[in-house]
Amino acid sequence: MDRSVSAEFEINIGMSIALTEAGAWVIRADVREFRLEEINDFYRAWLLLERPFSEVKAALDRIAHSASAATPFPFAKLIGSALRAKSGEWTDLAMVWIPFLAAAEKATLKDLLSDVRDSKWASQKTRQLARKYVNEIERGDPKRLN
């Protein structure tokens, strides 16, 4: 794998997020690295959802800035991964972060939010919130999406 830059953000004991010299986001766990590319790769980063979005964003933005990264951390993929898991706990945590996404990022989650809205496993509150976000995406109302 590519060597990682020195700046890392610890998400658990022995586990952190870093950028490779090539600009790829990775999870570092002890001596191993796992790339964060596809939505399915992000389950290792779900612990981030237990923290305030502003704290996580600031830390990952610092890493991206110090590495002169062209690509910011893909928060929509992290949120999408948690929504796809069909877990009430992780979905509830992910739903808290959705308002912080840009309109274009929210739009990428429309199908997953529709699945949550139509699910039997999510709580009524979560299904209602998913319905609200889907309606906002479908209306394309930039004031409501941001």
Side-chain angles (χ1 to χ4, degrees):
M1 287 232 153
D2 300 321
R3 288 188 3 218
S4 292
V5 294
S6 59
E8 296 180 21
F9 180 58
E10 186 175 72
I11 59 175
N12 203 356
I13 297 170
M15 183 182 261
S16 60
I17 293 184
L19 268 169
T20 65
E21 290 176 353
W25 289 98
V26 295
I27 294 279
R28 298 185 77 200
D30 301 319
V31 295
R32 298 175 297 166
E33 286 187 357
F34 304 94
R35 284 183 170 253
L36 296 173
E37 295 172 336
E38 303 298 323
I39 198 169
N40 292 334
D41 299 335
F42 282 80
Y43 70 91
R44 291 182 178 97
W46 287 352
L47 289 174
L48 292 173
L49 297 169
E50 295 179 336
R51 298 181 183 193
F53 179 84
S54 58
E55 172 190 315
V56 174
K57 181 167 177 22
L60 296 178
D61 283 353
R62 280 192 299 276
I63 291 171
H65 179 73
S66 70
S68 300
T71 307
F73 186 81
F75 288 104
K77 286 184 178 180
L78 171 63
I79 292 167
S81 174
L83 296 176
R84 185 180 279 177
K86 298 181 180 178
S87 159
E89 175 185 358
W90 293 113
T91 297
D92 289 350
L93 291 170
M95 295 296 274
V96 172
W97 281 29
I98 290 174
F100 298 102
L101 297 178
E105 292 173 305
K106 288 179 187 174
T108 67
L109 299 174
K110 180 184 174 195
D111 290 342
L112 292 170
L113 288 166
S114 294
D115 290 345
V116 172
R117 175 197 64 199
D118 300 336
S119 73
K120 301 280 188 225
W121 55 265
S123 70
Q124 181 177 357
K125 178 181 175 184
T126 299
R127 290 192 316 266
Q128 289 172 341
L129 194 53
R131 180 178 299 110
K132 173 187 168 207
Y133 292 141
V134 168
N135 289 341
E136 290 172 1
I137 292 165
E138 288 176 345
R139 282 195 304 268
D141 186 348
K143 288 183 217 165
R144 296 189 58 103
L145 284 171
N146 285 324

